[in-house]
Amino acid sequence: LMRVQSALIWNISPLMSSAQPPVMYTTSLWSLPFESGAPVRLLQAQERALLRDLRSAIDKRIENKIASARRFAVRVRNHAKMVDCYLTTYYNHKSLFSNKKQISDQIIEHPQNYHIYEGLS
């Protein structure tokens, strides 16, 4: 049983987006008693671990939502800062007689010449 579980984890791990190997629980969720020769202590320990981790996941769902909202807010803030840097640079370099399309294309194609990313950091 342990060899099969190890081989399964070994083969699934490269497909996961996490560096940590996936957690697998070997348990029987039937209400019938275990057959003789079954690894009862292992199955019961795995069932307790599964229920403990489910309880923990339920308890942490609010924290996970808050962390996700915070990550999204940081991305939105960074995007707004970048747009502000581009617009500020554009308004500082345009003039009454300049070609506005050409200026915007130059800023977009060569942001390093206008120190766009220095304003973000």
Side-chain angles (χ1 to χ4, degrees), residues 1-2 11 15 20 23 30 32 45 56 58 60-61 72-73 79 83 86 98 100 102 115:
L1 181 64
M2 296 307 289
N11 289 318
L15 303 175
Q20 296 289 334
V23 177
W30 288 26
L32 301 174
S56 173
I58 290 169
K60 291 181 180 178
R61 71 177 182 252
F72 184 72
H79 182 75
V83 168
Y86 273 100
S98 62
K100 294 173 185 161
Q102 184 180 11
H115 310 289

Side-chain angles (χ1 to χ4, degrees), residues 24-38:
M24 278 189 126
Y25 301 97
T26 307
T27 185
S28 172
L29 301 175
W30 288 26
S31 59
L32 301 174
F34 294 108
E35 293 183 6
S36 62

Side-chain angles (χ1 to χ4, degrees), residues 21-70:
V23 177
M24 278 189 126
Y25 301 97
T26 307
T27 185
S28 172
L29 301 175
W30 288 26
S31 59
L32 301 174
F34 294 108
E35 293 183 6
S36 62
V40 176
R41 287 183 24 218
L42 171 69
L43 294 173
Q44 288 175 341
Q46 290 282 307
E47 184 177 347
R48 282 192 300 275
L50 171 65
L51 294 174
R52 182 186 62 239
D53 289 348
L54 280 174
R55 214 172 302 116
S56 173
I58 290 169
D59 292 342
K60 291 181 180 178
R61 71 177 182 252
I62 297 298
E63 289 94 8
N64 291 340
K65 285 185 180 185
I66 291 170
S68 177
R70 176 175 279 146

